[in-house]
Amino acid sequence: MVNAHDFVVNDIYYNITSPNETVLTVDVTFEGSSYSSSKKTYADSVVVPETVTYKNKKYSVTGVANRAFYNCVNLTGVSLPNSVKKIGTYAFYGCTNLTGAVLPDSLKEIGTYTFYNCGKLNNVTIPDSLESIGNYAFYKCTSLAEIIIPESVNKIGYSVFRDCSSLRNVTLPKGIT
């Protein structure tokens, strides 16, 4: 069987993203050969480390891959390290029991459909480093009541907060409506 991940350390799956051996980087990803056959192994609260060592090489964790936590219904929380710059498309899609996400100060991009249908998500702090939020990023996050988008954000996709029925307060950067 071919795996979507290159290696696993402490029950977290990784893809090597380094284009060369000079700078070693990885993204967190899912277990299995494809997201549709993924075993949805992430559960409870997951703390992603800033670095991970594999075969005597130290890798910096710089991203969360597309569909990394896709439909992990037993995931309740996630904390990402300050080395992560991007959260991919559908990364937390369908994590219906996810209540909180600690996003790092290094984060630049939240992808399309990232937190789609995370109905219990009620606590997200958007870091001042963020530059863009993809379409439908928080769609159907029905427990999300308030969110502050920092001035650093210069691109917000469409329907980002669609069907967020509890959302009462959204603070947007100047110039974005």
Side-chain angles (χ1 to χ4, degrees):
M1 175 173 90
V2 176
N3 289 322
H5 61 278
D6 293 316
F7 64 90
V8 59
V9 174
N10 295 328
D11 298 324
I12 299 177
Y13 296 83
Y14 299 95
N15 277 337
I16 298 171
T17 56
S18 310
N20 57 53
E21 292 291 314
T22 306
V23 178
L24 301 174
T25 59
V26 293
D27 281 354
V28 175
T29 192
F30 51 84
E31 177 188 14
S33 59
S34 71
Y35 75 89
S36 60
S37 66
S38 173
K39 297 182 176 139
K40 320 295 188 260
T41 54
Y42 295 114
D44 303 318
S45 188
V46 173
V47 177
V48 176
E50 191 162 324
T51 61
V52 62
T53 302
Y54 176 70
K55 291 188 176 179
N56 296 319
K57 293 180 182 178
K58 188 175 182 179
Y59 294 87
S60 179
V61 180
T62 59
V64 177
N66 295 345
R67 295 181 166 91
F69 295 87
Y70 187 89
N71 278 336
C72 288
V73 296
N74 294 318
L75 183 70
T76 58
V78 66
S79 179
L80 300 175
N82 279 325
S83 53
V84 169
K85 293 174 178 49
K86 179 182 179 181
I87 301 175
T89 301
Y90 297 100
F92 296 96
Y93 179 102
C95 294
T96 54
N97 287 304
L98 181 66
T99 59
V102 177
L103 304 181
D105 291 334
S106 57
L107 190 64
K108 300 285 185 196
E109 180 182 344
I110 295 175
T112 301
Y113 296 103
T114 296
F115 293 100
Y116 184 103
N117 201 28
C118 293
K120 292 185 181 178
L121 185 65
N122 60 31
N123 187 13
V124 178
T125 300
I126 304 294
D128 288 336
S129 59
L130 193 70
E131 296 173 358
S132 70
I133 302 173
N135 303 332
Y136 299 99
F138 294 94
Y139 183 90
K140 288 191 177 182
C141 290
T142 55
S143 295
L144 194 59
E146 178 179 17
I147 195 155
I148 298 170
I149 309 296
E151 291 295 322
S152 58
V153 173
N154 55 44
K155 180 183 176 231
I156 297 177
Y158 56 85
S159 297
V160 170
F161 301 108
R162 186 174 179 183
D163 290 346
C164 292
S165 55
S166 296
L167 193 58
R168 299 293 177 252
N169 187 29
V170 178
T171 303
L172 296 171
K174 292 177 182 86
I176 293 184
T177 55

